[in-house]
Amino acid sequence: MKTLIKNGTVVNATGSALADVLIDGESIAAVLAPGSTLLGFDVEANVDRVIDAGGKYVIPGGIDAHTHMQMPFGGTEASDTFETGTRAAAWGGTTSIVDFVVQYAGENVLEQYRKWHEKAFGQCAIDYGFHQILSDVQDSSLTAMDELVAEGVSSFKLFMAYKGVFLSDDGQIVKAMQRAASNGSMIMMHAENGSVIDLLVQQAVAAGNTGPLYHGLTRPWQAEEEATHRAIMLANLTGAPLYVVHVSAKQAVDQIAQARDKGQNVFGETCPQYLYLSLEDNLGARSDEWGSFEGAKWVCSTPLRAKSEGHQHHMWQSLRTNDIQMVSTDHCPFCMKGQKDMGLTDFSKIPNGIGSVEHRMDLLYQGVVDGKISLERWVEVCSTTPARMFGMYGKKGVIQPGADADVVIYDPNGHTSIGVGKTHHMNMDYSAYEGYEIDGHVDTVISRGKVVIDRGEYLGAKGDGRFIKRGLSQYLI
Amino acid sequence: MKTLIKNGTVVNATGSALADVLIDGESIAAVLAPGSTLLGFDVEANVDRVIDAGGKYVIPGGIDAHTHMQMPFGGTEASDTFETGTRAAAWGGTTSIVDFVVQYAGENVLEQYRKWHEKAFGQCAIDYGFHQILSDVQDSSLTAMDELVAEGVSSFKLFMAYKGVFLSDDGQIVKAMQRAASNGSMIMMHAENGSVIDLLVQQAVAAGNTGPLYHGLTRPWQAEEEATHRAIMLANLTGAPLYVVHVSAKQAVDQIAQARDKGQNVFGETCPQYLYLSLEDNLGARSDEWGSFEGAKWVCSTPLRAKSEGHQHHMWQSLRTNDIQMVSTDHCPFCMKGQKDMGLTDFSKIPNGIGSVEHRMDLLYQGVVDGKISLERWVEVCSTTPARMFGMYGKKGVIQPGADADVVIYDPNGHTSIGVGKTHHMNMDYSAYEGYEIDGHVDTVISRGKVVIDRGEYLGAKGDGRFIKRGLSQYLI
Amino acid sequence: MKTLIKNGTVVNATGSALADVLIDGESIAAVLAPGSTLLGFDVEANVDRVIDAGGKYVIPGGIDAHTHMQMPFGGTEASDTFETGTRAAAWGGTTSIVDFVVQYAGENVLEQYRKWHEKAFGQCAIDYGFHQILSDVQDSSLTAMDELVAEGVSSFKLFMAYKGVFLSDDGQIVKAMQRAASNGSMIMMHAENGSVIDLLVQQAVAAGNTGPLYHGLTRPWQAEEEATHRAIMLANLTGAPLYVVHVSAKQAVDQIAQARDKGQNVFGETCPQYLYLSLEDNLGARSDEWGSFEGAKWVCSTPLRAKSEGHQHHMWQSLRTNDIQMVSTDHCPFCMKGQKDMGLTDFSKIPNGIGSVEHRMDLLYQGVVDGKISLERWVEVCSTTPARMFGMYGKKGVIQPGADADVVIYDPNGHTSIGVGKTHHMNMDYSAYEGYEIDGHVDTVISRGKVVIDRGEYLGAKGDGRFIKRGLSQYLI
Amino acid sequence: MKTLIKNGTVVNATGSALADVLIDGESIAAVLAPGSTLLGFDVEANVDRVIDAGGKYVIPGGIDAHTHMQMPFGGTEASDTFETGTRAAAWGGTTSIVDFVVQYAGENVLEQYRKWHEKAFGQCAIDYGFHQILSDVQDSSLTAMDELVAEGVSSFKLFMAYKGVFLSDDGQIVKAMQRAASNGSMIMMHAENGSVIDLLVQQAVAAGNTGPLYHGLTRPWQAEEEATHRAIMLANLTGAPLYVVHVSAKQAVDQIAQARDKGQNVFGETCPQYLYLSLEDNLGARSDEWGSFEGAKWVCSTPLRAKSEGHQHHMWQSLRTNDIQMVSTDHCPFCMKGQKDMGLTDFSKIPNGIGSVEHRMDLLYQGVVDGKISLERWVEVCSTTPARMFGMYGKKGVIQPGADADVVIYDPNGHTSIGVGKTHHMNMDYSAYEGYEIDGHVDTVISRGKVVIDRGEYLGAKGDGRFIKRGLSQYLI
Ligand SMILES: [Zn+2]
Ligand SMILES: [Zn+2]
Ligand SMILES: [Zn+2]
Ligand SMILES: [Zn+2]
Ligand SMILES: [Zn+2]
Ligand SMILES: [Zn+2]
Ligand SMILES: [Zn+2]
Ligand SMILES: [Zn+2]
């Protein structure tokens, strides 16, 4: 199958160009000056399919490096399966995800890793990779780290919160970081001080403060700033590169910025929810249907922060200044009915997570329209940097010969209305962005050469997506 | 003329790829998966020339955004003409320069601009653009700024030193910045406190401290840090973007880094001399021929800084962390005999300048070999960012269809010995880098499709180079 | 004359104590445990006068280290003479001032110094010292600096604004600082970028923006922050101690704090107007009498800053954290009628200055009541630190044997209403603090042993005050 | 007993004065102008004893706010008892200590508190107060905090290291801080990341790195910086004031400085060992007697830091700039024979501690002689601030009427040789400062009116010292 995308504006992280893109099979074969002839050879006449992208952006497919499909948590499971979640991703212009293999304390890392392959294999609409969660850092886990790097899993997530479930103590973190420093892998960190949060939650519940708003109030910025600083210092001690996930507090950003200014390999990820949503408007929301429990829709960790403190504004600025390097979703959807409502009388029982794998590309493009980031920065934070950060660049994250033909044609003159019954393919009974209007539209999505989304139609199939064997980070300084 | 560069590793700012590059006339026509066929069409058979770049890097030609060819200064002129200087640049893998139109106080900006066109026209081996120096900011100069932007001169250099020659006072700087903020152009700043330096120079000379070392000692880091901060604050006040030229003091870097962290459009350029050379080793050097006047070879402003204070180390780190964004040469060569020796008995009479337009690509590549920056960062700081910073990207600074075919084939297994009688094509009677050995080699240089350097031979001609009409900066956040 | 102040709470910079204070002649003879007997000797029976200070604070008299009595400026003169101004100071609990000898460009420093002695001699109600203003730094001025230090004038004020009147260029500043570094004196700096301000003023007036509010808008925080940083860096270069007068912008405070953290001898003074008043409420005020020219009452430089930017809040915090070390008034009063109204149609013609020498002790005590600073900090910033900073400690600024008997009895249960016709002894036709209510009261003021204010009566006489021959700063680290 | 100290220079935190000090019983009755008569009354003739302090400093007695007399640790006990330790303190000019009541995990706070009273009662040569160590923060401990504040124990020490012995987890720390915020007490913190250190120690020992030098290498600055930041952030969250004990790393100082600049009540204590001693010279020392185990003499925590990293220099500067507020000893002596040698084959078994309660005043005075701090700062960091910090000011830390007559007469022309067999009264078989020479001498020490040391003789008795019932901190901003 040979496809020519003609007349589009190819956007990459450093700039844009009018160029045609020729796809041959699963890969990009050439990027050509527009006009469809090459040295007199009529390219257009020799392909199977021609897509006219005139007036549109041709970008490398989105990479969402932080998702939790069908993740088991607290007796339930994230409501998107690998099948439904990756299909929704495709709808939204994302052609790769990196999901998390869960190892709870006491479980065996490599066994879990195999289970996750079983869950995902044959289910995905787009390509997928894995990060490995390490919940207790035993000798076997350290050995497993080396094996997993060889398998293409070159990043390991640790938690400074969720005691008894995910939390590693600082000595365990140092052990994993020492190993990462030796095998070149990346340490990802959920940076919140769990010990403090557990106490505040317990005090809040004891005081009868049980609504969703208290989810935010019991996870104060100090808990995030502190853990972020601690993770940075442990990384400094060991020499491991550090990637802080879902940064939401501006003070945590400042810790990351300071470390980077000193030349340390520290990176920060944020998510659309920390750019658009807030403690006041969302965690504190009320509705006829749910009353003040409405806020449960936005219970996620790290929590939404107070608009009055300016975190959202600071986060957009940090995206511009590269103090924050990329945007993932932390996609971890739960339905209100049957899942979120487990916490109706106690916010600490609400499953933590927001689903937005489908909307990331759109929400960030709106930032371009609103003048918050440049067009190039949009591609960089949503695709190029994720690829570089997690060892996929060359195959992913760029429009260039030899790369996988993961291409999105994005129409800046199109429009997208987000919401249940509108644009909404995730398996959730509500939308975290209900009513958001986007001044752009994902027209066509090509995954390894196959058109999977085209003008409102899903043309792909379960199992289209393949496992991405990743290398080491290509983003270290 | 159609040229295929095959089997090389194309390096750009975000990563590398094995790819063939097809040049048709003056432009890049396509970037292709290696193999020389496209949909069955035999590309190689249809071109005039094939260059095998197997095992070598194929990079966008270097852009030196800070040169002073045949610049009149203190009764003499920089020893490289547009002809000799641009030819030397080509030898070193640089395919574009941006030189400075000089307007001394009292002169008319547009007249000077026309004179510089006359000087350069028909002389250059490679493409050239102009920045405009503004030495007194009269109403006519402000009007001229708008006209020059339309002409493709979108950057204006001001001086905080050289009273009576170049210096603008702070009010004049603000006026120019206000205009830049309105027409979108870039303010470039020579950031040293001239008033303080003039005093220190006068005190040193009066005290009989007349050797070249005192050039450095009378331009202390405080004078640079102070002016850098001042320029940043004036830019903050007016909203103009600011580009600080030839940053040499680590404290000045810190000022730039702080402003950037707050989201201000402030940029820093350094030069090879601030990465490799020092007050102690160079300004303080002695030789049989020149005695302690040997140091005159390295009299430039800002001055070389003390190694004992760690500026050089800090500068390399800042290149890595992007606190410094690009590397130019500030090429401004003077011969020892007949030029530098004007200051034999008084360092303040030594013409200020070092020539290195020929060696920048090599010297920075050595940083890659030494593990100080990555391969991609080399291309970024030497070509891609200069193009983006100064409105040339798309045509320059990138290997992509539609771009000018400015391409360098760089051999990582080659070797270059720098020095007079070795690699040295600049019109200088000494080399500032005499004896430096580089673990790499510029094999082939193509300028707008024409091979001008090939395996040790200069194949170009005077007048090959054309004026680059630049747009506005594409690098602003 | 022997006086015993009994039963009071003696407050000093580090704490408070119940103690009696015995004054013998002009000095403090002893500080005694309360009870009026010493080893059986009945102290109370052996003194001429007993003052019962039960329930009241006994503090070292206030020192206002920044006043401009009858200062000539712009064709007029500050409306308080040495006689009226120092008497008003006494009313407010201030027993020493340090005023400025003015040397305009072209004048001779020592001649001016002698003239100021003539103006003040025999006029003052309280003791007075002099700082010397240096407006052009000629060789004779440098020599004069040494002579003046010997005369007891150990601090020199320079200006970075008011071109042609006061401004010194950076080279001149460095010369004066070099001399200060050698003779141990203190450099005081009016830190605003005059070149920028002159331009902005000219542009505002040209645009028809002539009201008092534009006085503030044309002196933006950037102009103050910049000059503050510049002064710090020049001081760093020369090794001179630096005292920045009338700091009003929070960003300037940050520059001072950063320098101090690095161990540099940099100090900051603020004034009541920067703690209480604002651009919006005062410069932007309107009245029936004056319309929008009402704001002229608060035209001073540095200007009042925007409340919306949080400068006032930051300034109180900086007083607490010792990033700002002391509070003076910059007392420089002008009447609205006949003086301020010179600028009715052009704000740049309004004489710059606010009078508050009478109210500083009260206004700062209100900060104690409001919980913004501690009682000890009140004494420290208003008396002890001024004395230490300017070489008067031991004689002034402390209640201890051997010190001058400059003592204020302050009643925390008293009340003071500020305003014309209320508490107002300055020679001004308005009050900058009209309507302010203070929860405390200056009951008794003793100047070198003589009671000059007692329960609402002025008991002193013109000429009571003597010249203070100051030593070098006792506050350097 | 009435004593007159005449002709001395009374030094306090803000300055010095020539003054006589009259002591009546246990208190200071008056501070008088020199001359011995008061209103004609001959003071000298009416006292029991006259001490001529001509040419000498009269200072408030030293306060060592961090000692561990006979502290049980690891199966042994600190070698100084309350008797020997306080006597040695007196010899060195220290007239008050604040020692730590130890509560190990599982023990009852109030029971321990009573035990410590039994240990100290009737034993001490000088006055003593207690801080309370909290090792597990149970409900009963929280209640005990309130009771202890009422008892005059207003400061509580927590540990972030020594798991299973002293360590509190972050939730426990927050609980104690919440209580401190409500009852006004001070939280003291041993700020080292114990979890990381335990791992590094275990790895070092497993690798056969068992010498004393590894004590330092396994407690890297990152572990201290991290814990310091964490403690600050938890204090920020709760509003509790925080006092970080024994700060040794410059990076930890910077964290404290940053928090203070933002207005948080955070304080830092350092010790003579961090000003004078180092990893290289001391932990890495060798001797004929002990070989490389010589370093055991200086095994303390936090550890001595590397001179090559500049911590000692930075610490002196921080003392000057008030980023560090006071100097205690952390006096915790162990003999080499029978105690330190428990760790002959494993550094982790060496009892942690250095004894210097006797030498603090001398060692810091040497800093005055060497130009590192001022005379006033010496008194401030050694006496006045300790008193203010821990609620003793007024009675202690100042020479003023009503204060306890704790007075030291210090001779700047005297000399002190430190070392075993020289000046050495602590119960240790070695001196941590063997061979140090001090350009000053403690001549006379008066404790609550009783001369306990006079010209080389100990005149006091066991039991002279009384318990100090402390109030809340008088140092908060
Ligand atoms: Zn997480
Ligand atoms: Zn997650
Ligand atoms: Zn320059
Ligand atoms: Zn230049
Ligand atoms: Zn001023
Ligand atoms: Zn003034
Ligand atoms: Zn400790
Ligand atoms: Zn201790």
Side-chain angles (χ1 to χ4, degrees), chain B residues 101-418:
Chain B
V101 176
V102 176
Q103 178 237 358
Y104 288 109
E107 297 175 342
N108 179 280
V109 168
L110 291 178
E111 270 176 35
Q112 292 302 107
Y113 173 66
R114 276 174 227 117
K115 274 190 207 155
W116 249 254
H117 267 300
E118 283 163 30
K119 288 182 198 229
F121 184 77
Q123 301 297 315
C124 294
I126 56 170
D127 289 356
Y128 60 97
F130 288 136
H131 309 290
Q132 177 72 48
I133 286 175
L134 300 179
S135 289
D136 55 354
V137 183
Q138 297 308 322
D139 289 355
S140 68
S141 304
L142 297 174
T143 317
M145 286 175 74
D146 291 350
E147 293 181 50
L148 286 166
V149 168
E151 288 268 326
V153 174
S154 55
S155 39
F156 299 91
K157 185 175 176 191
L158 300 166
F159 289 77
M160 302 170 97
Y162 301 112
K163 187 165 188 177
V165 182
F166 284 131
L167 182 140
S168 292
D169 69 30
D170 294 347
Q172 290 175 318
I173 291 170
V174 166
K175 277 199 267 189
M177 284 181 166
Q178 290 173 331
R179 185 63 61 131
S182 88
N183 68 24
S185 60
M186 178 72 77
I187 294 296
M188 305 172 79
M189 190 63 75
H190 180 122
E192 284 190 301
N193 187 315
S195 180
V196 169
I197 289 169
D198 289 350
L199 173 68
L200 297 180
V201 168
Q202 177 199 319
Q203 291 179 333
V205 172
N209 297 321
T210 59
L213 184 63
Y214 286 91
H215 174 77
L217 298 177
T218 55
R219 304 183 91 92
W221 66 260
Q222 288 95 339
E224 182 182 353
E225 195 260 20
E226 185 286 308
T228 302
H229 179 89
R230 183 153 37 109
I232 289 169
M233 208 36 58
L234 302 182
N236 182 297
L237 179 66
T238 57
L242 174 70
Y243 176 93
V244 184
V245 298
H246 50 55
V247 178
S248 66
K250 64 182 179 180
Q251 295 89 348
V253 175
D254 289 346
Q255 291 296 326
I256 292 169
Q258 280 182 31
R260 289 173 56 79
D261 281 354
K262 291 178 191 146
Q264 197 178 332
N265 270 309
V266 176
F267 311 103
E269 162 200 281
T270 195
C271 309
Q273 50 269 38
Y274 308 120
L275 294 162
Y276 281 104
L277 309 177
S278 71
L279 181 85
E280 297 95 328
D281 291 347
N282 301 90
L283 277 175
R286 306 183 64 88
S287 68
D288 288 346
E289 186 179 6
W290 293 102
S292 72
F293 192 69
E294 176 75 7
K297 293 178 175 174
W298 298 280
V299 163
C300 61
S301 299
T302 58
L304 302 185
R305 299 281 171 205
K307 223 168 39 175
S308 63
E309 295 174 353
H311 300 279
Q312 294 77 3
H313 174 84
H314 195 88
M315 202 61 77
W316 277 112
Q317 178 183 296
S318 302
L319 263 192
R320 274 199 302 283
T321 59
N322 205 35
D323 291 314
I324 290 293
Q325 288 72 44
M326 47 185 275
V327 178
S328 308
T329 58
D330 196 7
H331 180 77
C332 194
F334 294 99
C335 290
M336 283 293 278
K337 298 210 172 114
Q339 296 194 302
K340 292 274 186 185
D341 58 9
M342 291 158 64
L344 254 176
T345 60
D346 178 353
F347 71 85
S348 71
K349 302 284 192 298
I350 303 171
N352 282 208
I354 286 183
S356 65
V357 73
E358 185 175 355
H359 304 310
R360 185 181 60 119
M361 298 301 290
D362 279 328
L363 287 166
L364 270 290
Y365 180 73
Q366 191 61 35
V368 177
V369 175
D370 296 347
K372 289 177 172 162
I373 53 171
S374 70
L375 190 62
E376 287 76 19
R377 187 70 182 149
W378 172 52
V379 170
E380 190 168 30
V381 300
C382 290
S383 179
T384 307
T385 299
R388 298 176 74 190
M389 188 71 74
F390 291 116
M392 296 176 275
Y393 186 86
K395 283 294 172 193
K396 307 291 187 191
V398 63
I399 304 274
Q400 85 187 355
D404 286 349
D406 290 356
V407 182
V408 171
I409 299 171
Y410 198 88
D411 183 1
N413 297 309
H415 186 88
T416 304
S417 295
I418 298 179

Side-chain angles (χ1 to χ4, degrees), chain D residues 239-260:
Chain D
L242 174 71
Y243 176 93
V244 184
V245 298
H246 50 56
V247 178
S248 65
K250 64 181 178 181
Q251 295 89 349
V253 175
D254 288 347
Q255 291 297 327
I256 292 168
Q258 281 182 31
R260 290 173 55 79

